[in-house]
């Protein structure tokens, strides 16, 4: 009996020990599972944070690259702008030098810049001083340049706001009667620039007895819309003697000219003058002034 109780007690202790061991193993397993779970969570969080950090670092790198690119572009643009400015300044300087050289060449040939071919085919060159309202015709001197003044004529150049443009031009066309911009007509017209002509004082119609007489006594003063007005005698001389291609130099100067300006002819514009519709210098046989 005692032995049986001893065996039963021993078996009971063994069962208790086994249960204790199993309990401890379960706890350790549970702890291990928890630990594994925590480790997985930490790993995931680390990975996530690492990804976020990587993205942030990537953004920083891209921003730094963009800033560096912008900086380089700005530097390139600044260098290009400086180069263009330098080139522009050089071009301006070169143009100024060329202009100065041209002016020097022009003055060395008198008032006119002409070629050897021109000198061989044209007897005259014409100067128009818009400040003094005088036209001077030059022929060639001993040196072959147009430096000999041969004829001076009074004229009326463009009035204020309608100035005759300065520059060197050539005669382009001729027209016996020309319709003018204000609806009047000019006689013996010689074009020297687009829209600019030598022509007579205007006429109301294409009739030499229909002179716009209120304009006639303005000869010698700036009065036209840009063309060069002259009395019929003088403008007919231009019409008859200047070949197409003749050089015309227009300028404004207060310096003395080599020839004096002839006194402009004046007419009686009163109603009692039945001849006021005629230019006194017109060679027309019907001219009552003859």
């Amino acid at each position: 009996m005692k032995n049986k109780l001893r065996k039963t007690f021993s078996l009971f202790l063994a069962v208790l020990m086994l249960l204790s061991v199993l309990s401890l193993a379960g706890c350790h397993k549970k702890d291990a599972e928890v630990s594994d779970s925590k480790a997985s969570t930490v790993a995931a969080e680390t990975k996530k944070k690492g990804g976020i950090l990587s993205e942030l670092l990537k953004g920083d790198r891209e921003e730094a690259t963009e800033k560096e690119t912008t900086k380089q572009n700005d530097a390139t643009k600044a260098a290009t702008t400086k180069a263009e400015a330098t080139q522009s300044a050089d071009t301006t300087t070169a143009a100024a030098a060329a202009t100065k050289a041209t002016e020097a060449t022009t003055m060395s040939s008198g008032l006119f810049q002409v070629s050897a071919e021109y000198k061989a085919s044209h007897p005259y060159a014409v100067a128009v001083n818009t400040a003094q309202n005088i036209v001077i015709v030059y022929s060639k001197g001993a040196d072959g340049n147009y430096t000999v003044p041969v004829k001076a004529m009074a004229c009326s150049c463009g009035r204020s706001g309608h100035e005759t443009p300065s520059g060197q031009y050539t005669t382009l066309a001729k027209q016996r009667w020309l319709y003018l911009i204000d609806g009047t007509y000019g006689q013996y017209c010689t074009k020297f620039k687009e829209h600019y002509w030598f022509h007579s004082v205007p006429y109301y119609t294409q009739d030499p007895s229909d002179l716009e007489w209120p304009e006639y006594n303005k000869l010698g003063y700036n009065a036209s819309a840009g063309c060069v007005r002259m009395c019929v005698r003088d403008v007919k001389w231009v019409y008859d003697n200047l070949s197409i291609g003749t050089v015309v130099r227009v300028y404004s100067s207060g310096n003395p000219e080599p020839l004096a300006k002839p006194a402009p002819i004046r007419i009686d514009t009163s109603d009692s003058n039945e001849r006021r519709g005629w230019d006194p210098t017109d060679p027309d046989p019907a001219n009552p002034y003859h």
Side-chain angles (χ1 to χ4, degrees):
M1 183 66 177
K2 290 181 179 180
N3 289 333
K4 187 176 181 180
L5 289 173
R6 190 178 296 117
K7 287 180 180 179
T8 301
F9 183 73
S10 296
L11 181 60
F12 177 72
L13 289 176
V15 171
L16 287 175
M17 290 179 65
L18 179 60
L19 291 173
S20 296
V21 170
L22 290 175
S23 176
L24 288 173
C27 289
H28 287 308
K29 182 177 181 182
K30 185 175 181 181
D31 291 342
E33 290 175 353
V34 170
S35 296
D36 291 342
S37 176
K38 288 182 178 180
S40 298
T41 302
V42 170
E45 290 296 325
T46 301
K47 183 177 181 181
K48 181 177 180 181
K49 291 178 179 179
I52 294 173
L53 180 60
S54 177
E55 290 296 324
L56 290 175
L57 290 175
K58 181 180 178 182
D60 290 342
R61 286 196 298 272
E62 290 178 349
E63 183 177 358
T65 302
E66 183 178 355
K67 287 182 178 179
E68 182 63 25
T69 302
T70 301
K71 184 178 179 181
Q72 292 177 357
N73 289 340
D74 290 343
T76 301
K77 185 176 180 181
T80 302
T81 301
K82 184 177 180 180
E84 289 176 348
T86 301
Q87 183 178 5
S88 178
D90 292 342
T91 301
T92 301
T93 301
T99 300
K100 186 174 182 180
T102 300
E103 290 175 349
T105 303
T106 301
M107 294 311 296
S108 69
S109 302
L111 286 170
F112 312 99
Q113 179 66 40
V114 295
S115 65
E117 290 76 11
Y118 180 89
K119 293 178 182 179
S121 57
H122 292 84
Y124 302 114
V126 179
V128 180
N129 188 334
T130 60
Q132 299 184 39
N133 290 289
I134 182 174
V135 174
I136 298 180
V137 179
Y138 289 83
S139 64
K140 289 177 286 187
D143 60 357
N145 294 321
Y146 295 88
T147 55
V148 180
V150 296
K151 187 175 182 63
M153 297 169 280
C155 68
S156 285
C157 297
R159 61 186 180 273
S160 178
H162 300 272
E163 290 81 1
T164 306
S166 295
Q168 180 167 297
Y169 313 106
T170 57
T171 54
L172 302 170
K174 297 183 180 184
Q175 198 164 320
R176 177 66 178 81
W177 285 97
L178 175 70
Y179 183 76
L180 304 178
I181 61 173
D182 61 355
T184 57
Y185 296 85
Q187 281 203 80
Y188 299 108
C189 309
T190 302
K191 180 192 288 189
F192 61 88
K193 177 179 169 60
E194 191 65 29
H195 307 306
Y196 295 92
W197 300 68
F198 293 104
H199 63 71
S200 68
V201 173
Y203 290 76
Y204 294 112
T205 62
Q206 295 183 48
D207 183 336
S209 67
D210 200 16
L211 178 70
E212 189 179 3
W213 49 265
E215 292 294 307
Y216 194 83
N217 288 346
K218 295 178 182 179
L219 277 173
Y221 300 97
N222 296 93
S224 77
C227 290
V228 180
R229 295 178 183 175
M230 305 166 75
C231 68
V232 170
R233 176 194 60 211
D234 291 342
V235 79
K236 187 177 185 302
W237 189 96
V238 169
Y239 183 89
D240 291 340
N241 292 279
L242 299 188
S243 55
I244 297 299
T246 297
V247 164
V248 178
R249 175 75 182 276
V250 181
Y251 58 95
S252 177
S253 174
N255 294 330
E257 294 289 352
L259 296 177
K261 181 172 72 174
I265 295 174
R266 298 292 182 244
I267 61 173
D268 177 7
T269 59
S270 66
D271 293 340
S272 60
N273 182 13
E274 296 179 355
R275 301 180 298 178
R276 68 181 180 182
W278 283 88
D279 180 325
T281 69
D282 193 329
D284 190 301
N287 191 342
Y289 284 99
H290 297 330

